[in-house]
Each structure stands twice: as structure tokens, then as C-alpha cells.
Amino acid sequence: MKQGKTRSKAIYLDYQATTPVDPRVFAAMKPVFTKDFGNPASRGHAFGARAAELVEAARAKVAAFIGAKPEEIVFTSGATESNNLALKGVAEIYRDKGRHIVTCATEHKSVLDPLRRLAGWGFDVTVLGVDREGVLAPADVERAIRPDTILVSVMAANNEIGVLQPVREIAAVAKKRDVLFHTDATQAVGKIPFNVAEIGADLASFTAHKIYGPKGVGALYVRRENPRVRLAPILDGGGHEGGLRSGTLNVPGIVGFGAACEIAAKSLKEETVRIGRLRDRLMKGILSRVDNVHVNGSTRARLAHNLNMSFGWVESESLIKRLEGIAVSAAAACATANPEPSHVLKALGVPEDFIHTAVRFSLGRFTTPKEIDTVIARVAAAVKAVRGLSPLYAMAKRGEIEGAVQWKD
Ligand SMILES: *Cc1c(COP(=O)(O)O)cnc(C)c1O
């Protein structure tokens, strides 16, 4: 009871790690647990038929949301699995055509780690760098493509710094060279208009729990025409999902995913404008009250939902501790499982000192102006308190030493 109360007062600014399930999504899912509980593979009776009907209705909604055809959607357990299926599935099928794959240094671990495994299996992976704003140049992709390149994988929007990659241009470069293009669109779907046909993606991964749907369900878009993309499955079994993903479907999750897409399709435009205003208010508020702050990542090619800032002389862990009741994250959500400094900020050339002081604020559907004003005040006070304990900060202020505090632009 008490804990629930505390949490309801807490301010959640970690929407890029996960989102709450929208109450409308939850309402759509509820009967699927108890009443419409059938196995969609059991088509011989009404329970199975009803479940199959629900799955296909959801598939149509998910497909429509990204401009795909229903038969181009493969349901998975989330974007991690979708990324694995895309990368390993293409690698296995096209290995006789070539064994070279091109990606980018700021990708999510669920792209970089499968590619590292593929490298161990004899594939050659080129990891391209980004500029100081976090953007990958399509010309760099073009230069990296070789006769034996089979796949280019570049994310649409970054989870730590919100930076948008020029995926349409990159897809065009890949297409020109007859190379498949995969994009991890997990952070783009639901936040910016994302249409696979407009972009020219051959494969795209995304997940329900970042768009107010449930955890444990995601999708991989697999192009059916021009070209028809072939994939080898990772899981073998009953041959569900056109043989690409065996295992009984997560029907409640899939229904929730469909509902989440339907809601996002209607509210995306308005919501993004509103959230962008709140993000700018947060950014300006902090910048006007705190010195020696640096915004990480491009401020132009960026999601409206994200603000990533380094606070000179303030370790992110000590800042976050002082922000009790405000949920933000140090670099990426996996930072606790993996205490290495952020590979994304490293790729931007952010100095090590500033990587350790980076905090990600991510806003979403339920963020209010009042919450933003509270966060601005709390952050300003917390930074002041931490710096007040830092003899180095005092020395730097007096100009006696140089350091991260000098890092600008
Ligand atoms: C969250 C996230 C993933 C992983 O999604 P899961 O559904 O949690 O497996 C992959 N890529 C990006 C960019 C993400 O933000």
C-alpha cells in the first residue's frame, strides 16, 4: 500500500527503457487471458479459431502502422529477438553470396552482440563510426559496401541520445548495391512517422513495450516483394509464423501490441509535438540554471522524447541517487548489468569524464509540465549539492585546474 503510494508520486522519465501499458491496451488484453485463451494453432475448434482471429486482427494493425502488409509481420518476443532473427537469419541464408555485414558503432547491444557472434562464426563485420553529433554518413556506408556485402544494419533512432539516422538514404545506398537493409526501429516506431515503404527497409525490428504495449512481444518486418527477403529461423519447432518463429503465440501480448499500434497511429503526431515542448522546456530549464552542462547528440536530428546531458563534475550515479523519486537513467538502462562506460557516447567522442556524468531523461505519453518543472528544480539543486562537495569543481571554477569542465561545443 505504502509502496504503491510512493511510486504513484514518483516521476517517470525513463520511457526509452520501457513504458507503462496504456490502460486502453490493458483493457483490450484482459479477456484474452481468461475468455479468449485459445491456441491459434488449434484451428479445429472455436477457441483456437477465435484466438487466430484476434492474432490476425492485431497483425493487420501492427502492419498498417508501419506501412507493411500483414503477411510481412513476424511476431517475436521483442526487439532483441527480432534483431537476432534478422541478422542471423540473413547471415545463414545468404552466406554463399557473401559474408560481409555493415553496421554502426552506436547500435543497441541486441544488434552489436549478435554481429559479434557472427564474426566468431566467420562473418566479417564493419562497424562504422559516427560524427560528434552521433550521425552516420550514408557516404561512409557506400564506401564500406563490398562485392561480398550481404546486409547493412543501421538503427532508425538511438535509445540513449535519441539521434535519428538517415535511414532512407542509407537504404537507398544499400539497394543500389543490391544489399539488404535492416533497421532496428524500436525507438522510432511510435515516436516518429515510420513507414517501411517510404524508407525502403527490407527488415525492421520493433517492440510493444516501448510504445505502451506489454513486455515480451515484438515484431520483425520481412519484405515479401522487390526483393523477397529470405530468412533462416533461429527457433525450430512447430513452424509457426511461416516457419520463421516456432512456438505458441503470445496471444494476449500480440493483441496488446495491436492495440498499442492503433492508439499510437492516432495520437503520434499530436503527442510528439506536446512531448517535444516538454523536452525543450526541460532542456532550457536545466541549461539556464546549471553551468557546465553539455547536451549529448544532435539537437536537430533527434527524437522529441529524449534529452541526454553530461553534468561536469557530477558523477551520474551520485546525481541519480540525489534525484530519489525521479526515474532517469545513466547512459543506457543496461548500465547496471554492464557498468562499462556508454559505447554510444564513446562513439561520439565524448571525453571519458563526461561519459561518467551523462544522464538520460526520456519523456512520454504521461509526462506533465508540472513534473518537468519539478525535475528542473530538483536537478539544479542536486547538481549544486554534489558540486558543493567537490574540491575539484571549486578549483576549476577558480581556474586553478583544467578538466572536463573546459570541454565545450
Ligand atoms: C529496447 C530496445 C531493444 C530491445 O527491445 P526488447 O523488446 O526489450 O528486447 C532493441 N533496440 C533498441 C534500440 C531498444 O531501444
Side-chain angles (χ1 to χ4, degrees):
M1 191 62 181
K2 195 152 174 241
Q3 199 191 1
K5 239 185 191 165
T6 317
R7 224 183 289 135
S8 70
K9 266 200 215 143
I11 296 176
Y12 188 74
L13 286 188
D14 205 12
Y15 281 87
Q16 284 186 286
T18 194
T19 59
V21 170
D22 188 294
R24 293 164 288 179
V25 170
F26 188 49
M29 291 173 70
K30 257 202 287 216
V32 188
F33 286 100
T34 50
K35 191 164 72 66
D36 299 320
F37 62 85
N39 185 335
S42 310
R43 306 263 173 138
H45 51 66
F47 294 87
R50 172 67 181 148
E53 195 182 292
L54 288 171
V55 166
E56 294 320 311
R59 194 189 305 280
K61 290 175 189 174
V62 171
F65 189 39
I66 63 159
K69 299 188 199 96
E71 62 270 24
E72 294 176 314
I73 298 295
V74 176
F75 286 119
T76 65
S77 65
T80 298
E81 187 188 328
S82 298
N83 285 336
N84 272 269
L85 177 57
L87 302 166
K88 292 172 182 165
V90 163
E92 185 177 334
I93 290 279
Y94 295 90
R95 63 189 307 152
D96 293 333
K97 188 176 173 223
R99 299 195 177 190
H100 180 232
I101 299 172
V102 176
T103 192
C104 170
T106 55
E107 292 297 309
H108 193 264
K109 292 284 183 190
S110 60
V111 166
L112 294 175
D113 287 353
L115 288 177
R116 187 166 305 138
R117 188 169 301 280
L118 286 171
W121 293 347
F123 288 82
D124 194 5
V125 179
T126 298
V127 182
L128 296 171
V130 292
D131 65 17
R132 289 195 72 165
E133 302 219 312
V135 179
L136 172 63
D140 289 350
V141 176
E142 183 144 32
R143 266 191 296 276
I145 292 175
R146 318 187 303 217
D148 61 337
T149 307
I150 52 172
L151 180 68
V152 170
S153 180
V154 176
M155 72 195 330
N158 186 272
N159 49 300
E160 287 188 37
I161 52 176
V163 168
L164 308 175
Q165 297 296 3
V167 281
R168 187 206 279 243
E169 290 78 2
I170 293 169
V173 162
K175 175 124 191 130
K176 197 170 76 184
R177 303 287 296 273
D178 201 20
V179 170
L180 294 177
F181 177 66
H182 165 253
T183 184
D184 176 353
T186 308
Q187 295 287 350
V189 169
K191 296 191 181 77
I192 54 170
F194 180 88
N195 183 297
V196 286
E198 268 170 30
I199 288 163
D202 298 309
L203 297 135
S205 307
F206 52 113
T207 193
H209 78 97
K210 306 269 172 88
I211 61 166
Y212 310 93
K215 292 165 186 61
V217 59
L220 179 65
Y221 158 76
V222 186
R223 180 184 285 276
R224 278 292 185 104
E225 264 176 3
N226 187 33
R228 181 188 177 93
V229 177
R230 291 185 308 134
L231 276 186
I234 299 174
L235 295 180
D236 296 305
H240 309 72
E241 295 297 274
L244 288 178
R245 208 286 188 169
S246 285
T248 300
L249 294 180
N250 172 2
V251 185
I254 288 167
V255 168
F257 195 6
C261 287
E262 195 174 35
I263 293 166
K266 286 194 194 117
S267 57
L268 186 146
K269 219 171 151 189
E270 215 179 338
E271 191 168 288
T272 299
V273 171
R274 189 186 73 83
I275 290 170
R277 284 202 192 107
L278 291 177
R279 192 273 315 275
D280 291 345
R281 178 176 178 140
L282 177 63
M283 180 168 75
K284 284 180 192 138
I286 292 175
L287 288 174
S288 69
R289 283 172 183 73
V290 185
D291 58 75
N292 291 297
V293 187
H294 178 77
V295 177
N296 296 309
S298 173
T299 45
R300 293 169 297 111
R302 191 183 192 111
L303 293 173
H305 309 62
N306 171 285
L307 178 64
N308 187 307
M309 285 181 146
S310 288
F311 296 87
W313 310 98
V314 181
E315 288 283 324
S316 41
E317 294 306 328
S318 35
L319 183 60
I320 287 169
K321 219 175 271 166
R322 281 183 188 264
L323 293 177
E324 213 199 315
I326 300 177
V328 294
S329 116
C334 53
T336 41
N338 175 14
E340 283 169 30
S342 157
H343 71 281
V344 173
L345 297 180
K346 240 188 202 167
L348 266 63
V350 175
E352 190 102 346
D353 282 352
F354 262 67
I355 294 177
H356 291 294
T357 69
V359 173
R360 178 184 72 183
F361 304 87
S362 49
L363 291 65
R365 184 169 291 165
F366 305 109
T367 307
T368 65
K370 190 162 165 268
E371 286 179 333
I372 293 300
D373 291 342
T374 303
V375 172
I376 293 167
R378 290 279 307 278
V379 167
V383 169
K384 197 167 171 222
V386 175
R387 284 179 179 168
L389 300 171
S390 163
L392 285 175
Y393 177 71
M395 286 165 79
K397 274 299 233 190
R398 293 195 297 269
E400 291 166 17
I401 54 164
E402 281 186 48
V405 80
Q406 305 290 337
W407 191 67
K408 276 270 163 275
D409 80 76

